[in-house]
Amino acid sequence: MPIDTQPAPIIPDGLNAAEAARRLQAEGFNELPQTGTRSILRLIADVLKEPMLLLLLTGAGIYLALGDTAEAVLLGVFASASVLITIVQEARTERVLESLRDLSSPRALVIRDGERVRIAGREVVRGDLIVLAEGDRVAADAMLRQCDDLLTDESLLTGESVPVRKRPAAGEAMDATAVAGGDDLPFVFSGSLVVRGGGIAEVTATGPRTAIGRIGQSVSALETETPRLRQQTRRLVMAFAIGGAVVVAITVVLYALYRGGWLEGLLAGIALGMSMLPEEFPVVLTVFLAMGAWRISQARVLTRRAAAIESLGAATVLCTDKTGTLTQNRMMVARLVRPDGAMLRPATASSDAVTAEFRDLVAAAVLACDPQSHDPMEKALQALDTDATGDAALQRRYGLRPDLLAMTNVWSRNGVLMAAAKGAPEAIATLCGLGGTELIELQAGIETLAAEGLRVLGVARARWGGGALPETQQDLAFTFCGLVGFADPLRAEVPSAVAECRSAGIRIIMITGDYPATAAAIARQAGLDPERIITGPELAELDDDALAQAARTPTAFARIMPEQKLRIVSALKADGEIVAMTGDGVNDAPSLKAAHIGIAMGGRGTDVAREAAAIVLLDDDFGSIVKAVRLGRRIYDNLRKAMSFILAVHFPIAGLALLPLVTGLPLLLGPVHIAFLEMIIDPVCSLVFEAETEEDDVMRRPPRDPQEPLLPRPLVLWGALQGFLAILTTGGVLLLAHRNGMPDDELRALVFFTLVSVIVSLIFVNRSFSSSLRDALLRPNRVLLLVIAIVIAVLATSLTAPPVAALFKFGPLHADDLALTAAAAISTLIVLELSKFPLRAALTRRPAGGTQVNAASPAR
């Protein structure tokens, strides 16, 4: 098929083999450099410095020394998991860079010594001439020396799926600051895809010096921020460990001084140390996040870093790209406009959606397309008319020119030559010779469509009477057929998801490389209602403080470069926001890794984006983000309930260990009793509270203060109040029974049963801070029922089976004794439930008036 071209410039013979080898030796392979990795032993040594791991190992050692192999093995497993997680994190960064290497090093066709040879992409050097053809992936950054109707998809670098038009260089040099995106530039970039046309380009940068290489260096230089929850838990564990050590030391000394027995004091200290050892905190945190990752996976959300789920529940700002996240990432024909102003909005992407009055317009537009097109707009047109070409044969193609942004195909059918053109509406108007009123009306129609965020093409057709076709398409007598408006449609679930985010106090900021008009239209459709659209050039003029100030109001960003995305995320973080960032392209990888929570698209996202992110949406559903936010808030609420429970139950356990010291009573709780209590506390904290459903207002409250501690003062006081009342209850039962002369073995059984009953009552107290006791008792939780059934069965066995009773040193209990334990538990439950009312506002982190965020109020 003859193709209309300008006189081709003379292309030299390219590099010779010797010079190419010299440059390869001097500048290195065309790939991202391997980064130094730490050895396994070095990783383990670094992990062993972590206070949490040291406490886990110490606890395991204590249990092992006491012969409690099961607990020792359990803590050892969690210690090993810490080492494994760190190694996996290190490998993840390496996989990010490996993905970049794969993208940046395809095979390439180059000209060397005057011959075209295909070589590995990693062997391309600066100065090579690479031959580009449709379907090729560009091997390195290069300057175009010759091209014909060349379109490239640079979405890996820009995030925008619409191909960009290229032109040959006109003597300019490759600018080191040149960026992807934008039409009529002479630059092509490593990793981009040729979707139409071809050309020859001179390589100007390889490996880490390319645009994709600079992104790779940025990713490798960024450190993933330690989750705040992990930091808070670490501090909490250390505080408990220090406090426990002090209490244990005091206990041992006091026993030795006042009871005269160092051995008995040491045994009491070990029992007390076991009761106060804070291994529940890391266990609970690990189980909660692991179970949370499993639960969110049911909504087709993959969690790469489990702590990110909790962080997402605290997010105050969600930065989202437009293409493919808010929109469907597919072009479709949204408007057809005839010259007389009649308009059609096709309901579907099929020929059935086109009425008879608009079929000529669609047919002409399809005839102007490449029959084997990779261009998404051309594919959208072809979906509306699959028979336009029929038995016609393509005779000639006039490509886009810098001076005329239109392309024309000439077809032959039954001996008649027909020409169809499409392109920029102004160029089509020039081909058709429109002027005066017609041109004014056309311009008004274009502005109407552009205001809706549509990409607009003009369409024209002509007949050729015979003879040789003219040299340029301007010599054809075209008739204007109309306008076609294209849109990347909004995802159906986005408006409701945006509304729910706003009700939860989360601000959504759209960041896109698209044009401001398109960004504004999509933002309005999504319900974002930005007060201001900030473009890339405008952002470049703002310092970080001004940028953060601008982002505090409803804002969207358009025509944004990759490095500017990272700057926006950094400015928001510096302003105290908890930032979630969505993305899918290579250009998004640095900002995904820099954000507190990086969210990658699993369907269309690149490997680089997925590896850099903490969360991957397997179905690219924006609504899944809202599900993850809801789950994150539920996890944090339930974690606080578990922490409050842990704090409360340690008071009576420690109190009963110390009470014999001040009362002269025999030692009642030994290691076996503490181990049994841990068997109750651990599954309750890890499984029962984790399985609690979310509070009714979980998505109607503002995000929590990111500086709020995991156990704020009101929750500590609430836990202390529970623990103090539990001490009074169990201690009162102990003193009452001892005064009545109950034998030591029966006294131990009575006190232990009372303590277990009170602990069970504390479970119900902590199930909800905002609902009533009735709701706490009736709210379904099958795990809770299972745990209570197991506890009852074990307690019953300890009384009825002599070997077990001997192990626990329990004497028999009678019906009135069991009634006393039940009364102690019920009275504790009632008193604590009544105590909730004046403390409810503080415990739920809401003002006393119950102020909540609604959809119309700003997040901050």
Side-chain angles (χ1 to χ4, degrees):
M1 177 180 66
I3 299 296
D4 178 50
T5 61
Q6 293 178 326
I10 298 175
I11 298 297
D13 293 339
L15 298 177
N16 59 52
E19 177 62 17
R22 187 190 69 78
R23 294 189 182 188
L24 188 64
Q25 177 70 26
E27 300 177 7
F29 287 107
N30 177 36
E31 60 186 5
L32 292 185
Q34 297 277 351
T35 55
T37 56
R38 291 181 289 173
S39 67
I40 297 296
L41 291 178
R42 173 66 184 277
L43 285 172
I44 294 175
D46 289 344
V47 175
L48 286 175
K49 298 176 183 177
E50 295 288 331
M52 188 180 295
L53 181 64
L54 290 175
L55 287 171
L56 285 172
L57 293 175
T58 302
I62 292 175
Y63 281 122
L64 193 62
L66 293 169
D68 195 339
T69 308
E71 289 287 342
V73 170
L74 178 62
L75 292 182
V77 168
F78 283 109
S80 302
S82 298
V83 177
L84 181 61
I85 289 171
T86 302
I87 295 173
V88 169
Q89 283 293 104
E90 187 75 11
R92 178 178 291 120
T93 298
E94 180 60 26
R95 287 199 298 273
V96 172
L97 298 177
E98 193 63 42
S99 299
L100 280 168
R101 292 188 197 103
D102 293 341
L103 282 172
S104 62
S105 188
R107 292 187 63 78
L109 182 64
V110 300
I111 300 176
R112 287 187 180 171
D113 294 316
E115 299 290 334
R116 296 191 178 196
V117 294
R118 191 167 293 277
I119 63 174
R122 68 193 300 267
E123 297 175 4
V124 170
V125 298
R126 180 177 53 82
D128 260 331
L129 293 176
I130 54 176
V131 181
L132 304 175
E134 190 170 311
D136 286 349
R137 195 169 289 280
V138 181
D141 287 4
M143 171 79 74
L144 284 165
R145 297 303 179 195
Q146 174 183 317
C147 69
D148 174 58
D149 196 17
L150 180 64
L151 293 181
T152 62
D153 178 352
E154 297 177 348
S155 58
L156 286 176
L157 295 167
T158 66
E160 298 307 319
S161 58
V162 176
V164 292
R165 188 173 56 248
K166 299 296 180 181
R167 65 168 176 83
E172 64 261 56
M174 182 71 168
D175 188 348
T177 62
V179 294
D183 290 322
D184 296 324
L185 296 176
F187 316 124
V188 290
F189 297 90
S190 177
S192 59
L193 183 68
V194 178
V195 298
R196 190 169 76 199
I200 296 177
E202 181 180 348
V203 174
T204 57
T206 60
R209 293 166 291 278
T210 61
I212 199 172
R214 292 193 294 271
I215 292 175
Q217 291 177 310
S218 174
V219 171
S220 63
L222 290 171
E223 292 292 335
T224 301
E225 193 166 305
T226 302
R228 293 171 186 260
L229 187 59
R230 183 180 174 189
Q231 297 172 1
Q232 293 177 354
T233 306
R234 185 182 300 165
R235 291 193 293 267
L236 197 60
V237 168
M238 183 59 71
F240 264 73
I242 293 173
V246 171
V247 173
V248 168
I250 293 174
T251 300
V252 173
V253 172
L254 290 179
Y255 259 88
L257 293 177
Y258 293 99
R259 302 290 289 270
W262 283 98
L263 181 59
E264 186 180 9
L266 184 60
L267 291 174
I270 290 175
L272 183 60
M274 290 178 63
S275 70
M276 299 188 68
L277 192 68
E279 86 277 5
E280 294 100 343
F281 289 108
V283 168
V284 165
L285 179 61
T286 301
V287 171
F288 266 57
L289 296 182
M291 290 295 292
W294 174 78
R295 291 185 188 279
I296 197 64
S297 70
Q298 306 305 301
R300 295 191 55 75
V301 177
L302 173 65
T303 306
R304 297 177 51 79
R305 291 195 291 273
I309 297 178
E310 178 277 329
S311 299
L312 188 56
T316 59
V317 174
L318 171 59
C319 296
T320 176
D321 59 350
K322 175 186 70 66
T323 305
T325 304
L326 299 179
T327 65
Q328 298 177 23
N329 194 31
R330 63 180 181 88
M331 299 303 292
M332 65 176 293
V333 177
R335 302 286 189 277
L336 294 171
V337 183
R338 287 177 25 179
D340 60 5
M343 181 182 295
L344 176 68
R345 303 185 181 192
T348 61
S350 66
S351 58
D352 296 337
V354 181
T355 61
E357 299 83 18
F358 291 87
R359 284 175 185 159
D360 286 345
L361 169 58
V362 173
V366 173
L367 288 171
C369 298
D370 186 336
Q372 306 296 327
S373 180
H374 293 266
D375 186 326
M377 288 194 290
E378 292 191 342
K379 293 168 73 173
L381 281 169
Q382 290 166 342
L384 294 181
D385 190 343
T386 57
D387 299 322
T389 56
D391 56 355
L394 185 61
Q395 298 298 306
R396 184 163 186 171
R397 179 177 166 212
Y398 298 91
L400 295 170
R401 298 292 181 220
D403 58 339
L404 184 68
L405 301 179
M407 60 174 293
T408 299
N409 288 338
V410 180
W411 299 82
S412 173
R413 177 180 287 154
N414 300 326
V416 178
L417 294 179
M418 303 172 296
K422 66 176 176 62
E426 297 82 1
I428 295 298
T430 299
L431 286 177
C432 297
L434 300 183
T437 304
E438 291 180 319
L439 190 58
I440 293 174
E441 293 176 351
L442 175 64
Q443 189 61 41
I446 296 170
E447 291 175 357
T448 299
L449 297 178
E452 298 181 42
L454 304 181
R455 298 177 184 272
V456 186
L457 292 181
V459 180
R461 68 189 309 161
R463 287 180 176 270
W464 183 250
L469 288 167
E471 291 300 319
T472 65
Q473 53 190 323
Q474 288 95 323
D475 294 329
L476 295 168
F478 283 101
T479 300
F480 182 63
C481 295
L483 299 173
V484 181
F486 297 86
D488 184 1
L490 193 73
R491 289 179 176 270
E493 73 277 2
V494 166
S496 60
V498 167
E500 191 166 3
C501 282
R502 295 183 67 180
S503 73
I506 302 172
R507 292 189 297 122
I508 299 180
I509 297 177
M510 185 174 72
I511 306 174
T512 178
D514 214 333
Y515 294 96
T518 305
I522 293 296
R524 286 193 299 269
Q525 294 174 31
L528 299 180
D529 301 323
E531 296 176 3
R532 181 181 179 188
I533 304 291
I534 299 177
T535 65
E538 291 173 347
L539 187 150
E541 300 297 323
L542 300 176
D543 60 25
D544 290 343
D545 291 338
L547 174 57
Q549 181 67 33
R552 289 175 185 170
T553 59
T555 304
F557 294 88
R559 304 305 288 168
I560 296 298
M561 297 295 105
E563 62 275 10
Q564 291 178 320
K565 291 186 179 183
L566 179 58
R567 190 178 163 214
I568 293 170
V569 169
S570 300
L572 289 169
K573 289 172 61 179
D575 199 36
E577 305 284 4
I578 302 298
V579 183
M581 172 76 187
T582 70
D584 59 355
V586 172
N587 63 308
D588 296 321
S591 51
L592 286 173
K593 190 172 182 182
H596 294 105
I597 315 105
I599 307 170
M601 301 298 150
R604 71 178 190 285
T606 61
D607 289 342
V608 181
R610 287 192 291 267
E611 294 293 344
I615 293 175
V616 179
L617 306 183
L618 298 179
D619 53 6
D620 294 0
D621 185 353
F622 184 82
S624 297
I625 299 175
V626 179
K627 298 175 185 176
V629 170
R630 183 185 295 109
L631 181 67
R633 293 188 173 193
R634 167 184 163 178
I635 288 174
Y636 192 78
D637 281 353
N638 290 343
L639 187 60
R640 284 161 51 95
K641 296 171 186 177
M643 294 298 187
S644 173
F645 174 78
I646 292 172
L647 186 62
V649 299
H650 276 288
F651 275 86
I653 295 174
L656 289 175
L658 287 172
L659 194 59
L661 174 65
V662 297
T663 61
L665 293 171
L667 183 66
L668 295 177
L669 296 182
V672 64
H673 305 101
I674 303 298
F676 178 78
L677 290 173
E678 293 293 337
M679 289 175 63
I680 300 175
I681 295 171
D682 284 349
V684 166
C685 296
S686 302
L687 301 176
V688 173
F689 284 112
E690 192 282 329
E692 288 293 328
T693 56
E694 67 265 16
E695 304 287 343
D696 293 338
D697 66 343
V698 70
M699 291 299 285
R700 297 194 304 273
R701 68 174 78 138
R704 69 177 186 275
D705 184 347
Q707 302 303 322
E708 179 189 59
L710 181 59
L711 279 178
R713 183 175 299 175
L715 202 62
V716 172
L717 293 176
W718 172 240
L721 175 62
Q722 296 177 76
F724 180 71
L725 184 59
I727 290 177
L728 288 180
T729 303
T730 53
V733 170
L734 168 62
L735 295 176
L736 178 64
H738 180 65
R739 181 174 299 175
N740 290 332
M742 180 176 281
D744 288 350
D745 56 351
E746 294 183 18
L747 181 63
R748 180 177 292 108
L750 177 64
V751 170
F752 189 79
F753 271 54
T754 302
L755 177 59
V756 172
S757 300
V758 169
I759 288 176
V760 172
S761 73
L762 294 183
I763 298 174
F764 289 97
V765 168
N766 287 282
R767 289 190 70 190
S768 176
F769 296 145
S770 59
S771 60
S772 65
L773 175 60
R774 177 179 178 275
D775 292 336
L777 292 173
L778 299 181
R779 178 185 291 179
N781 188 329
R782 288 180 294 181
V783 179
L784 172 59
L785 297 177
L786 178 62
V787 169
I788 292 177
I790 294 174
V791 169
I792 293 175
V794 173
L795 288 178
T797 304
S798 69
L799 286 179
T800 57
V804 180
L807 175 65
F808 282 91
K809 298 180 180 180
F810 284 168
L813 293 179
H814 306 93
D816 56 341
D817 299 323
L818 296 177
L820 179 62
T821 64
I826 293 173
S827 61
T828 302
L829 178 60
I830 293 174
V831 172
L832 288 175
E833 279 297 324
L834 293 175
S835 303
K836 274 185 183 179
F837 289 99
L839 299 174
R840 182 163 291 169
L843 292 175
T844 54
R845 310 189 315 278
R846 289 190 294 277
T851 302
Q852 294 177 334
V853 173
N854 56 54
S857 64
R860 288 173 69 90

